[in-house]
Amino acid sequence: MPKLLSELNVMLGESSITDAEFYGAAIKDRHGQVSLSMPARLSELERDTVARSLLSHIFDAGLDDLPDPFVTIKSGKEPLRVQLTEVSVPESRDR
């Protein structure tokens, strides 16, 4: 991941957001500088996966969104972010 961030000139910082559902955000400023912000609580695998997903969206690389229960939120001028959502599990028919 450090090599990818360096090649893309992306800054990675620690987020102060403590919401357990928040996994990261990406911001591209008016000069084209991209910054990722992620909570410190993420494992290396989570950090890598979420970072690659966010970068794919920012650089329009065509990767699919992360699977449920994650949701990628894209909204106008707000940062692109990934968070958990509640997923309803169908009831078992075996009773």
Side-chain angles (χ1 to χ4, degrees), residues 3-73:
K3 182 178 178 184
L4 177 62
L5 295 176
S6 176
E7 287 175 2
L8 295 174
N9 193 30
V10 172
M11 298 172 54
L12 174 61
E14 191 172 306
S15 175
S16 61
I17 298 174
T18 58
D19 183 344
E21 294 180 349
F22 175 76
Y23 273 68
I27 301 168
K28 188 174 191 178
D29 70 19
R30 62 187 170 132
H31 304 291
Q33 174 64 53
V34 175
S35 300
L36 294 179
S37 178
M38 304 174 105
R41 66 176 161 69
L42 298 183
S43 70
E44 186 176 336
L45 177 61
E46 289 170 323
R47 184 176 289 268
D48 186 86
T49 302
V50 171
R52 288 176 190 277
S53 176
L54 290 169
L55 291 173
S56 171
H57 286 286
I58 288 288
F59 290 105
D60 199 23
L63 293 179
D64 291 335
D65 286 343
L66 293 171
D68 288 341
F70 295 96
V71 62
T72 303
I73 300 170

